[in-house]
Amino acid sequence: MAEAAESPGDRGRASPRPLFAGLSDISISQDIPVEGEITIPMRSRIREFDSSTLNESVQNTIMRDLKAVGKKFMHVLYPRKSNTLLRDWDLWGPLILCVTLALMLQRGSADSEKDGGPQFAEVFVIVWFGAVTITLNSKLLGGNISFFQSLCVLGYCILPLTVAMLVCRLVLLAEPGPVNFMVRLFVVIVMFAWSIAASTAFLADSQPPNRKALAVYPVFLFYFVISWMILTFTPQ
Amino acid sequence: MRKLRPPRSAHTTEKQQNRQSNSEFGDAATSLAANPDVTTISIEDPGETPKHHPGPPRSPGREEDDELLGNDDSDKTELLAGQKKSSPFWTFEYYQTFFDVDTYQVFDRIKGSLLPIPGKNFVRLYIRSNPDLYGPFWICATLVFAIAISGNLSNFLIHLGEKTYHYVPEFRKVSIAATIIYAYAWLVPLSLWGFLMWRNSKVMNIVSYSFLEIVCVYGYSLFIYIPTAILWIIPQKAVRWILVMIALGISGSVLAMTFWPAVREDNRRIALATIVTIVLLHMFLSVGCLAYFFDAPEMEHLPTTIATPNQTVAAAKSS
């Protein structure tokens, strides 16, 4: 702005002045128009400014992230051949799901000896440590998927099992008995199959064809253990 | 024999051809020196010579001995060993060499540990200078959960009819099982490897295994316990002990046949003691797991009754 106000006066007074100004003051881009157009940092700065989140309201920011998480939830519930889950990975969804699952699996008493169920920390460690191990395994087998992409997919695919946990807690409010158990068994088996189907739909393509089974088996074991924890949950 | 080992066949034929060509050259060289008439014949029809000599130049008896002793594939072993040391240990590629297996290889190794061929060496037959850590790691992980979950299920089945019994998931047992299984699958191979190194420095043995090969053999030999642990759910003492005996016989024989060539040249007493120790440790693992994780069906399950005061009261009232 200041430079624009100055320039007409400068031009009127002396002709050699713009030459010196171009050398000393780099910010004058009108005199050397080539520089501003070619350099890449300039262009990226403009794009960054366009999508800047500084000026928008907090509500918009939160809603956008929540929408991204919700969109990924929909991808897990209805697995299609799509790369959205892989391309824009985030760990918010896995964190939410894992904490929800661990909280719901937590029993009333903190006495591990008495009820013998998994504690909050144990669920948390199993989910994250298991996901990291499976990811490392698939990377070591030669899969072309990044570390956090795989973590993201494995974490998001717990969603059906979290839903199963919610259903189980609701069913457990009713009269306990064989019918009650059968309903829970059915729900957990269906959701377990769902988790496996969703995660393999996203992950299997990243493996060499002759090693797919080796990469999928740990995923199966991982969700099987989580399903077992959900099925054996009994509130005290 | 060939049908039993599908992955070998390709390599074997290739190698045989190599050997044949080698021996041909060798023969040609020696016979050239001896009498020039023979060489002219072999030069005239080089394309037909493989058909005329379909049998391998080595006798079948020698081949078997080779496999047992580990002389087989010595050229290949050296080549692959040279390849593997290419990347240093802090890189990711170094660890990828331990997971360089395909699905069919893992299945073959598992099959090999389930159906051991008498007199055959598991390492030379299936692992062949490409020991993997995939099998041992995931077999151990599966075994941990198989033991913990089926132990829990069997306890539930034993006490199914009892009114006072309250189901407990016993999640703590997963971590106990993990500690036991992983400690066994890593510490025993480590000590065995150290022991074999020490013996090797004293007595020259023909066969020496690397640490990874020993870990690999131990890992795959544990596979038989996974179906066994699942079948242990059946609350019958006789069935359980028969299963333990079958599993121990199979995996113990795999271990014994693998490590016997490595100690064969040693002092007779030490060699026998080593094998007996290996099998005994294996037995302790299986029997210990059965005793700790699975309640005996005949017993009245006293520990649980004493541990929970509510149930003791209930039991006292009912009696």
Side-chain angles (χ1 to χ4, degrees), chain B residues 11 33 41 75 79 96 107 129-130 243:
Chain B
H11 293 289
I41 295 164
D75 47 348
L79 275 175
Q96 273 183 332
F107 276 122
S129 78
N130 182 20
L243 284 169

Side-chain angles (χ1 to χ4, degrees), chain B:
Chain B
M1 255 201 8
R2 292 269 180 270
K3 273 179 192 167
L4 280 170
R5 321 167 267 163
R8 263 186 73 80
S9 57
H11 293 289
T12 323
T13 46
E14 192 186 309
K15 206 167 57 209
Q16 273 174 14
Q17 277 171 9
N18 279 341
R19 285 240 166 87
Q20 268 177 11
S21 59
N22 275 342
S23 64
E24 251 178 61
F25 283 124
D27 287 344
T30 48
S31 53
L32 187 71
N35 53 339
D37 294 331
V38 188
T39 36
T40 42
I41 295 164
S42 59
I43 284 168
E44 266 177 73
D45 47 359
E48 278 198 0
T49 32
K51 284 176 197 164
H52 278 304
H53 307 281
R58 49 224 284 266
S59 63
R62 216 199 125 214
E63 188 186 41
E64 215 152 274
D65 207 37
D66 266 0
E67 262 162 9
L68 205 66
L69 292 175
N71 294 343
D72 197 21
D73 298 323
S74 55
D75 47 348
K76 201 165 187 149
T77 315
E78 277 164 26
L79 275 175
L80 284 175
Q83 269 178 8
K84 274 191 179 175
K85 298 223 166 58
S86 57
S87 47
F89 73 92
W90 59 81
T91 57
F92 197 70
E93 285 76 26
Y94 176 78
Y95 295 97
Q96 273 183 332
T97 57
F98 303 141
F99 285 72
D100 189 20
V101 280
D102 286 346
T103 312
Y104 79 91
Q105 280 174 310
V106 172
F107 276 122
D108 275 334
R109 287 170 190 191
I110 289 172
K111 248 187 277 169
S113 75
L114 288 180
L115 308 164
I117 305 161
K120 293 283 177 183
N121 187 334
F122 182 78
V123 171
R124 299 300 162 197
L125 207 54
Y126 296 101
I127 295 176
R128 303 169 78 243
S129 78
N130 182 20
D132 67 313
L133 287 183
Y134 177 90
F137 184 80
W138 290 109
I139 286 172
C140 286
T142 317
L143 186 60
V144 165
F145 288 111
I147 285 180
I149 288 177
S150 56
N152 187 237
L153 265 183
S154 87
N155 289 359
F156 172 69
L157 286 181
I158 288 169
H159 304 283
L160 189 59
E162 294 167 30
K163 282 269 164 22
T164 53
Y165 177 70
H166 169 66
Y167 173 74
V168 170
E170 294 177 308
F171 193 77
R172 217 165 42 92
K173 284 195 172 172
V174 172
S175 40
I176 296 170
T179 314
I180 292 171
I181 301 291
Y182 278 102
Y184 178 80
W186 285 93
L187 293 183
V188 173
L190 187 67
S191 48
L192 186 62
W193 176 67
F195 176 77
L196 288 180
M197 288 270 280
W198 174 61
R199 290 315 303 175
N200 242 352
S201 64
K202 298 210 159 191
V203 185
M204 196 51 205
N205 278 313
I206 297 170
V207 179
S208 63
Y209 295 124
S210 68
F211 175 58
L212 278 175
E213 279 173 330
I214 298 175
V215 169
C216 198
V217 173
Y218 261 89
Y220 279 103
S221 74
L222 285 177
F223 183 84
I224 183 77
Y225 287 130
I226 296 170
T228 311
I230 292 167
L231 287 174
W232 276 344
I233 294 174
I234 304 165
Q236 290 286 328
K237 209 170 193 177
V239 174
R240 281 179 181 179
W241 281 102
I242 289 168
L243 284 169
V244 170
M245 286 303 152
I246 293 170
L248 194 64
I250 290 172
S251 59
S253 68
V254 168
L255 289 179
M257 281 189 303
T258 307
F259 291 109
W260 177 245
V263 291
R264 193 165 64 169
E265 307 297 312
D266 213 327
N267 184 355
R268 212 44 158 186
R269 206 180 284 167
I270 292 174
L272 274 177
T274 314
I275 299 296
V276 167
T277 312
I278 289 170
V279 174
L280 267 183
L281 280 174
H282 214 57
M283 196 174 83
F284 280 141
L285 178 79
S286 54
V287 175
C289 281
L290 180 60
Y292 183 77
F293 293 102
F294 296 81
D295 285 353
E298 274 80 4
M299 270 165 53
E300 279 307 305
H301 197 63
L302 288 168
T304 315
T305 334
I306 291 163
T308 52
N310 288 344
Q311 283 174 22
T312 334
V313 172
K317 271 180 192 168
S318 65
S319 62

Side-chain angles (χ1 to χ4, degrees), chain A residues 167-224:
Chain A
V167 173
C168 281
R169 278 212 93 134
L170 289 176
V171 170
L172 277 167
L173 292 176
E175 187 69 18
V179 181
N180 191 315
F181 176 75
M182 283 300 164
V183 170
R184 280 189 294 149
L185 183 68
F186 177 74
V187 169
V188 169
I189 286 175
V190 167
M191 292 305 183
F192 168 61
W194 200 328
S195 284
I196 294 280
S199 55
T200 48
F202 292 113
L203 289 180
D205 286 339
S206 65
Q207 288 294 327
N210 49 353
R211 292 183 181 182
K212 264 182 193 161
L214 297 185
V216 167
Y217 173 69
V219 178
F220 167 83
L221 189 67
F222 176 62
Y223 289 124
F224 181 77

Side-chain angles (χ1 to χ4, degrees), chain A residues 2-132:
Chain A
E3 152 215 325
E6 253 177 38
S7 55
D10 285 351
R11 263 178 208 158
R13 239 189 296 158
S15 56
R17 186 70 205 267
L19 193 93
F20 288 111
L23 284 170
S24 62
D25 194 2
I26 307 164
S27 70
I28 299 171
S29 55
Q30 285 125 317
D31 296 325
I32 316 151
V34 186
E35 274 186 8
E37 288 299 314
I38 283 183
T39 49
I40 297 162
M42 191 71 176
R43 205 181 287 168
S44 77
R45 207 187 301 150
I46 288 166
R47 193 182 295 159
E48 208 172 272
F49 181 74
D50 283 345
S51 67
S52 167
T53 54
L54 272 177
N55 292 333
E56 74 181 8
S57 64
V58 178
Q59 194 190 0
N60 284 356
T61 315
I62 291 171
M63 282 315 285
R64 196 188 41 251
D65 286 352
L66 280 181
K67 261 182 205 160
V69 171
K71 209 171 152 191
K72 282 175 193 147
F73 279 166
M74 289 316 290
H75 268 97
V76 172
L77 289 179
Y78 179 57
R80 288 156 294 188
K81 287 277 167 195
S82 160
N83 286 326
T84 315
L85 206 57
L86 290 177
R87 207 178 49 237
D88 322 315
W89 57 265
D90 69 73
L91 296 178
W92 282 113
L95 181 70
I96 293 166
L97 289 174
C98 177
V99 169
T100 315
L101 188 68
L103 276 177
M104 282 200 285
L105 276 170
Q106 182 69 38
R107 262 152 261 239
S109 68
D111 188 6
S112 174
E113 283 286 322
K114 196 176 163 189
D115 56 29
Q119 297 293 316
F120 182 87
E122 286 173 323
V123 179
F124 209 82
V125 165
I126 279 194
V127 168
W128 287 105
F129 187 72
V132 167

